[in-house]
Amino acid sequence: MNTDCSPLLTDLYELTMLQAYLDEGMADTAVFEFFVRALPPSWNFLMAAGIEQAVDYLATLRFRDDDLRWLRDTGRFHPVFLDWLGDFRFAGDVYAMREGTVFFPDEPVLRVVAPLAQAQFVESRLINLLNYSCLVASKAARCVLAAPGRQLVDFGLRRAHGAEAGLLAARSSYLAGFAGTATVLAGRRYGIPLFGTMAHSYIQAHDREAQAFSHFSASHPRDVTLLVDTYDSEAAAAKVAVLAPDLRQRGVSLKALRLDSGDLAELSRRVRAILDQAGLAEVRIFASGNLDEREIARLVAAGAPIDGFGVGTHLSTSADAPYLDSAYKLQVYAGKSRRKRSPGKATWPGEKQVYRVYRDDGRPSYDVVALACEPPPPEHSRALLHQVMHQGRREPPLEPLDLLRHHADAELALLPAELRRLDPAPTPYPVQISAPLRALAHKLDQQTH
């Protein structure tokens, strides 16, 4: 989805620094890492997503002739630099967490090793892609934990912050465990199952609600879901019950009724009773309407007979936590480790790896952020960062989305109970900084600049 994206979708300072690097002859290898400084309030974990989009961007990064002409016309850059941009390609190595992996603050999710200009220039777009995808995948994972055994569908396109955001939200939520999306293009691009019913306007365009139900069912006889809250949900459910024998004779498969407003817990009970009394126990109840993980959890706890939820605005905007405090920082240049010491924004220097240590029951016990040259912890552990690009080429091939989705499901299943809560865990998940890494940071802190 990023192949049509101009490299000019970046911050100006990326280009101004690149010209200065070129003028100074600074072309040694650099290591940059993407990480998140802190969890949003009440969140206990994050989920890695957007690696595929990041790799696509890096693999296809090119300045076109019209990009270079526009830059020349600005008068900001000299001709030698613009000629150099014409041959600009990303030829570095990239290491990343597998999409669907649960992660925590200060843990590098993606590491770029490349000549300084290449590693620097991609900063803005990588943060742009990874920040949003990780944010929505994490939000969706919280919804999944709030609705065990229930179907979840992404309804977020119309209020997403732009077309790309709507598509990435569909992909990230499916990765995290949603059953599918209402966004048709996401179905085409990513193979995500599509779900959809009708809008209230369809009902209103007919003189009689029952007529709208009958006509829509005739047009879409397979797995029909009817929207029943345009006027009166209980009355609409009763109309469906009356129509059901005729629909069955016509070969219509009535799958569900959708509630989109009101007291969903009470309405779902009343509609369920109407359906059961009519012998329609197989017809499910699907709810939507400004839902988030907390409202879903409340409905589940109240015993509402709701079989599935459509989650829209609160998912695609991550309404309670609309951003992550993420960063992409220089950790090594020309063989020397680098450390930012700004108050509240200090970084751990050096090229790093993350190890997850497991208990005997297979659940995570703690993580270790270590220098990449360190041996793994002696306990049962696994490294979380793996190579995904070599000299600018994908390596190995990226995994199918459904396989990554299974991985995300396994990650959530293994989360300790205290991290599965929607409220803050009594004790945050422990992330240890290795002794050699702390020693390196201390050594750099003693240096003057």
Side-chain angles (χ1 to χ4, degrees):
M1 66 181 294
N2 305 306
T3 54
D4 295 331
C5 178
S6 168
L8 300 184
L9 185 64
T10 190
D11 290 303
L12 178 61
Y13 77 3
E14 308 294 6
L15 287 164
T16 57
M17 284 190 288
L18 256 61
Q19 179 169 291
Y21 287 150
L22 181 65
D23 291 346
E24 297 173 66
M26 297 179 67
D28 286 326
T29 297
V31 177
F32 280 75
E33 292 175 344
F34 172 87
F35 60 96
V36 176
R37 294 188 181 100
L39 292 172
S42 299
W43 292 23
N44 294 316
F45 66 89
L46 296 169
M47 178 172 282
I51 304 301
E52 179 175 333
Q53 284 66 44
V55 170
D56 281 347
Y57 163 68
L58 295 172
T60 59
L61 179 57
R62 305 284 188 276
F63 284 86
R64 300 186 296 260
D65 289 343
D66 58 324
D67 296 323
L68 298 173
R69 279 195 299 271
W70 186 88
L71 287 173
R72 185 173 291 109
D73 290 345
T74 68
R76 290 178 176 271
F77 304 100
H78 58 59
V80 173
F81 174 64
L82 295 174
D83 289 342
W84 179 80
L85 282 184
D87 296 324
F88 188 90
R89 302 289 187 273
F90 179 80
D93 296 341
V94 179
Y95 302 80
M97 289 186 182
R98 191 181 182 192
E99 291 195 76
T101 298
V102 166
F103 71 94
F104 303 92
D106 288 329
E107 298 183 342
V109 176
L110 179 137
R111 183 203 318 148
V112 172
V113 183
L116 177 60
Q118 295 177 27
Q120 176 72 70
F121 178 73
V122 300
E123 173 191 14
S124 297
R125 182 60 169 154
L126 287 182
I127 294 177
N128 172 249
L129 289 167
L130 294 171
N131 181 87
Y132 183 73
S133 292
C134 291
L135 177 67
V136 175
S138 305
K139 180 73 169 177
R142 285 169 57 83
C143 293
V144 169
L145 293 176
R150 273 78 167 181
Q151 184 184 71
L152 293 168
V153 178
D154 158 49
F155 278 10
L157 172 64
R158 62 187 61 193
R159 294 190 181 94
H161 295 165
E164 183 176 71
L167 290 168
L168 291 178
R171 183 184 184 276
S172 296
S173 59
Y174 183 67
L175 166 74
F178 274 43
T181 180
T183 303
V184 178
L185 186 56
R188 177 183 177 183
R189 290 197 173 177
Y190 308 127
I192 300 173
L194 293 176
F195 293 82
T197 57
M198 59 177 70
H200 296 98
S201 55
Y202 183 84
I203 305 293
Q204 293 172 280
H206 291 76
D207 292 334
R208 291 182 295 113
E209 190 174 35
Q211 181 187 53
F213 293 156
S214 180
H215 287 177
F216 188 84
S217 300
S219 181
H220 301 281
R222 292 191 306 163
D223 295 331
V224 177
T225 297
L226 298 174
L227 180 61
V228 295
D229 80 322
T230 305
Y231 307 117
D232 182 295
S233 297
E234 292 177 74
K239 293 170 188 175
V240 172
V242 171
L243 283 172
D246 179 60
L247 296 178
R248 189 178 294 114
Q249 283 187 348
R250 289 192 278 143
V252 173
S253 171
L254 183 56
K255 182 180 181 180
L257 302 187
R258 178 160 74 98
L259 300 171
D260 191 54
S261 59
D263 184 342
L264 294 176
E266 183 58 27
L267 279 176
S268 65
R269 292 188 186 97
R270 295 182 181 183
V271 169
R272 182 75 269 162
I274 292 169
L275 292 173
D276 290 348
Q277 188 175 3
L280 299 173
E282 76 283 359
V283 177
R284 308 170 72 207
I285 295 177
F286 189 86
S288 56
N290 291 321
L291 298 176
D292 64 5
E293 66 270 37
R294 293 191 180 277
E295 179 61 14
I296 290 171
R298 186 190 71 80
L299 291 167
V300 170
I306 298 174
D307 304 288
F309 300 93
V311 191
T313 303
H314 288 274
L315 174 70
S316 61
T317 67
S318 189
D320 65 314
Y323 70 94
L324 295 176
D325 185 9
S326 59
Y328 175 88
K329 295 300 180 184
L330 177 68
Q331 313 291 28
V332 179
Y333 176 61
K336 296 181 180 179
S337 294
R338 313 284 168 154
R339 172 166 160 87
K340 180 179 178 180
R341 300 204 299 262
S342 306
K345 293 187 175 181
T347 60
W348 293 107
E351 184 173 354
K352 296 182 285 298
Q353 177 60 273
V354 182
Y355 294 99
R356 181 149 297 159
V357 180
Y358 293 89
R359 306 187 312 216
D360 291 340
D361 63 2
R363 295 188 180 278
S365 178
Y366 63 93
D367 287 1
V368 180
V369 179
L371 293 169
C373 60
E374 291 184 55
E379 305 94 332
H380 174 56
S381 65
R382 67 181 174 100
L384 299 188
L385 291 170
H386 305 279
Q387 190 163 21
V388 294
M389 294 190 80
H390 176 63
Q391 296 181 358
R393 298 180 180 273
R394 298 175 180 87
E395 187 177 293
L398 293 172
E399 296 179 83
L401 183 54
D402 279 336
L403 193 60
L404 295 172
R405 189 167 180 266
H406 288 308
H407 172 63
D409 180 64
E411 287 280 290
L412 293 180
L414 287 175
L415 273 180
E418 59 270 22
L419 299 184
R420 299 170 63 88
R421 300 157 45 111
L422 298 183
D423 294 319
T427 304
Y429 180 79
V431 177
Q432 299 181 5
I433 306 300
S434 73
L437 178 51
R438 288 186 180 276
L440 175 61
H442 178 73
K443 176 183 177 182
L444 295 180
D445 287 346
Q446 307 311 305
Q447 299 176 0
T448 58
H449 293 275

Coordinates of all heavy atoms in Angstrom, one line a residue, residues 320-348:
D320 N -9.2 6.6 23.7 CA -8.7 6.9 25.1 C -7.1 7.1 25.1 O -6.6 7.7 26.0 CB -9.0 5.8 26.0 CG -8.4 4.4 25.7 OD1 -8.4 4.1 24.5 OD2 -7.9 3.8 26.6
A321 N -6.5 6.6 24.1 CA -5.0 6.8 24.0 C -4.6 7.0 22.5 O -4.2 6.0 21.8 CB -4.3 5.5 24.5
P322 N -4.8 8.2 22.0 CA -4.7 8.4 20.5 C -3.3 8.4 20.0 O -3.1 8.7 18.8 CB -5.4 9.8 20.3 CG -5.2 10.4 21.7 CD -5.3 9.4 22.7
Y323 N -2.3 8.2 20.8 CA -0.9 8.2 20.3 C -0.1 7.4 21.2 O -0.4 7.1 22.4 CB -0.3 9.6 20.2 CG -0.1 10.2 21.5 CD1 1.2 10.1 22.1 CD2 -1.1 10.9 22.2 CE1 1.4 10.7 23.4 CE2 -0.8 11.5 23.5 CZ 0.4 11.4 24.0 OH 0.7 11.9 25.3
L324 N 1.1 6.9 20.7 CA 2.1 6.3 21.6 C 3.3 7.2 21.7 O 3.6 7.9 20.7 CB 2.5 5.0 21.0 CG 1.5 3.9 20.9 CD1 2.1 2.6 20.1 CD2 1.0 3.4 22.2
D325 N 3.9 7.2 22.8 CA 5.1 8.0 23.0 C 6.3 7.2 22.4 O 7.1 6.7 23.1 CB 5.4 8.3 24.5 CG 6.5 9.2 24.7 OD1 7.1 9.8 23.7 OD2 6.9 9.4 25.9
S326 N 6.3 7.2 21.1 CA 7.3 6.4 20.4 C 8.4 7.2 19.9 O 8.3 8.4 19.7 CB 6.6 5.6 19.2 OG 6.1 6.5 18.3
A327 N 9.5 6.6 19.6 CA 10.7 7.3 19.1 C 11.6 6.4 18.2 O 11.5 5.1 18.3 CB 11.6 7.7 20.3
Y328 N 12.4 7.0 17.4 CA 13.3 6.3 16.5 C 14.7 7.0 16.7 O 14.8 8.2 16.2 CB 12.8 6.4 15.1 CG 13.7 5.8 14.0 CD1 13.6 4.5 13.6 CD2 14.6 6.6 13.3 CE1 14.4 4.0 12.6 CE2 15.4 6.1 12.3 CZ 15.3 4.8 11.9 OH 16.1 4.3 10.9
K329 N 15.6 6.4 17.4 CA 16.8 7.1 17.9 C 18.1 6.5 17.4 O 18.2 5.3 17.3 CB 16.7 7.3 19.4 CG 15.6 8.1 19.9 CD 15.6 9.5 19.4 CE 14.5 10.4 19.9 NZ 14.4 11.7 19.3
L330 N 19.1 7.3 17.2 CA 20.4 6.9 16.9 C 21.0 6.2 18.1 O 21.1 6.8 19.2 CB 21.3 8.1 16.5 CG 22.7 7.7 16.1 CD1 22.8 6.9 14.9 CD2 23.5 9.0 16.0
Q331 N 21.5 5.0 18.0 CA 22.2 4.2 19.1 C 23.6 4.0 18.8 O 24.4 3.8 19.8 CB 21.4 2.9 19.3 CG 19.9 3.0 19.3 CD 19.4 3.7 20.5 OE1 20.0 4.6 21.1 NE2 18.2 3.4 20.9
V332 N 24.0 3.9 17.6 CA 25.4 3.7 17.2 C 25.7 4.5 15.9 O 24.9 4.5 15.0 CB 25.7 2.2 16.9 CG1 27.2 2.0 16.5 CG2 25.4 1.3 18.1
Y333 N 26.9 5.1 15.9 CA 27.4 5.7 14.6 C 28.9 5.5 14.5 O 29.6 5.7 15.5 CB 27.1 7.1 14.5 CG 27.7 7.7 13.2 CD1 27.3 7.2 12.0 CD2 28.6 8.7 13.3 CE1 27.8 7.7 10.8 CE2 29.2 9.2 12.1 CZ 28.8 8.7 10.9 OH 29.4 9.2 9.7
A334 N 29.4 5.0 13.4 CA 30.8 4.8 13.1 C 31.5 4.0 14.2 O 32.6 4.2 14.6 CB 31.5 6.2 13.0
G335 N 30.7 2.9 14.6 CA 31.3 2.0 15.6 C 31.2 2.5 17.0 O 31.7 1.7 17.9
K336 N 30.7 3.7 17.3 CA 30.7 4.2 18.6 C 29.2 4.3 19.1 O 28.4 4.8 18.4 CB 31.3 5.6 18.7 CG 32.8 5.6 18.4 CD 33.3 7.0 18.5 CE 34.8 7.1 18.1 NZ 35.4 8.5 18.2
S337 N 29.0 3.8 20.3 CA 27.6 3.8 20.9 C 27.3 5.3 21.2 O 28.2 6.1 21.6 CB 27.5 3.0 22.1 OG 27.7 1.6 21.8
R338 N 26.0 5.6 21.0 CA 25.6 7.0 21.2 C 24.4 7.0 22.2 O 23.6 6.0 22.2 CB 25.1 7.6 19.9 CG 26.1 7.5 18.8 CD 27.3 8.4 18.9 NE 28.4 8.0 18.0 CZ 29.3 8.8 17.5 NH1 29.3 10.1 17.9 NH2 30.2 8.4 16.7
R339 N 24.3 8.0 23.1 CA 23.2 8.0 24.1 C 22.7 9.4 24.2 O 23.4 10.4 24.4 CB 23.8 7.6 25.4 CG 22.8 7.7 26.6 CD 23.4 6.9 27.8 NE 22.9 7.3 29.1 CZ 21.7 6.9 29.7 NH1 20.9 6.1 29.0 NH2 21.4 7.2 30.9
K340 N 21.4 9.6 24.1 CA 20.7 10.8 24.3 C 20.4 10.9 25.8 O 20.0 10.0 26.4 CB 19.4 10.9 23.5 CG 18.6 12.1 23.7 CD 17.3 12.1 22.9 CE 16.5 13.3 23.1 NZ 15.2 13.3 22.3
R341 N 20.7 12.1 26.4 CA 20.6 12.2 27.9 C 19.6 13.2 28.3 O 19.5 13.6 29.4 CB 22.0 12.6 28.5 CG 23.1 11.5 28.2 CD 24.1 11.6 29.3 NE 24.8 12.9 29.3 CZ 26.0 13.1 28.7 NH1 26.6 12.2 28.0 NH2 26.6 14.3 28.8
S342 N 18.7 13.7 27.3 CA 17.7 14.6 27.7 C 16.8 14.1 28.8 O 16.4 13.0 28.8 CB 16.8 14.9 26.4 OG 17.6 15.3 25.3
P343 N 16.5 15.0 29.8 CA 15.6 14.6 30.9 C 14.3 14.0 30.4 O 13.6 14.7 29.6 CB 15.4 15.9 31.7 CG 16.6 16.7 31.3 CD 16.9 16.4 29.9
G344 N 13.9 12.9 30.8 CA 12.7 12.2 30.5 C 12.7 11.6 29.1 O 11.8 10.9 28.7
K345 N 13.8 11.8 28.4 CA 13.9 11.2 27.0 C 15.3 10.5 26.8 O 15.7 10.3 25.7 CB 13.7 12.3 25.9 CG 12.3 12.8 25.9 CD 12.1 13.7 24.7 CE 10.6 14.2 24.7 NZ 10.4 15.1 23.5
A346 N 15.9 10.1 27.9 CA 17.2 9.5 27.7 C 17.0 8.1 27.1 O 16.0 7.4 27.2 CB 17.8 9.3 29.1
T347 N 18.0 7.7 26.3 CA 18.0 6.4 25.6 C 19.0 5.5 26.2 O 20.0 5.9 26.7 CB 18.2 6.6 24.1 OG1 19.5 7.2 23.9 CG2 17.2 7.5 23.5
W348 N 18.8 4.2 25.9 CA 19.8 3.2 26.2 C 20.6 3.0 25.0 O 20.1 2.7 23.9 CB 19.1 1.8 26.6 CG 18.4 1.9 27.9 CD1 17.0 1.9 28.1 CD2 19.0 2.0 29.2 NE1 16.8 2.0 29.5 CE2 17.9 2.1 30.2 CE3 20.3 2.0 29.7 CZ2 18.2 2.2 31.6 CZ3 20.6 2.1 31.1 CH2 19.5 2.2 32.0

